[in-house]
């Protein structure tokens, strides 16, 4: 893989991650999660497509179709595994005192 194709892959994966963030929403941490999962899954999909000799929708040395499919799967998996952002924003309940006679 050449430097130009790696940069093109990073650009395509970044656009996929940012579009997914535009659709799903979330804070700054979610943008980082979506970008990281898009980058990793894009290049894993490219690698698997090369190992399986899948030549559908190639752009230069990039195996674009398997890379895009892996990116979509990786973004959805990252979103599901990260859980709901609303659940995190609620915070935790205050811990009750050890001694029931103590008052806070």
């Amino acid at each position: 893989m050449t430097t130009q194709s790696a940069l093109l892959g990073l650009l395509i994966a970044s656009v996929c991650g940012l579009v997914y963030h535009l659709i799903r929403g979330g804070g700054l941490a979610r943008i980082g999660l979506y970008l990281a999962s898009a980058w990793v899954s894009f290049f894993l999909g490219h690698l698997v497509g090369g190992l399986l000799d899948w030549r559908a929708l190639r752009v230069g040395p990039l195996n674009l179709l398997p890379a895009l499919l892996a990116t979509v799967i990786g973004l959805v998996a990252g979103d599901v595994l990260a859980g709901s952002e609303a659940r995190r924003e609620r915070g935790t309940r205050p811990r009750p005192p050890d001694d029931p006679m103590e008052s806070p």
Side-chain angles (χ1 to χ4, degrees), residues 6 17 20-21 30 34 41 48 52 62 65 68 72 76 79-80 86 100:
Y20 191 78
H21 181 266
R30 287 291 167 145
Y34 296 150
S41 59
V48 168
L52 295 177
L62 279 178
L65 184 63
L68 288 175
V72 170
V76 171
D79 194 17
V80 169

Side-chain angles (χ1 to χ4, degrees), residues 42-54:
F42 184 89
F43 286 107
L44 282 177
H46 165 73
L47 180 68
V48 168
L51 290 174
L52 295 177
D53 202 27
W54 195 7

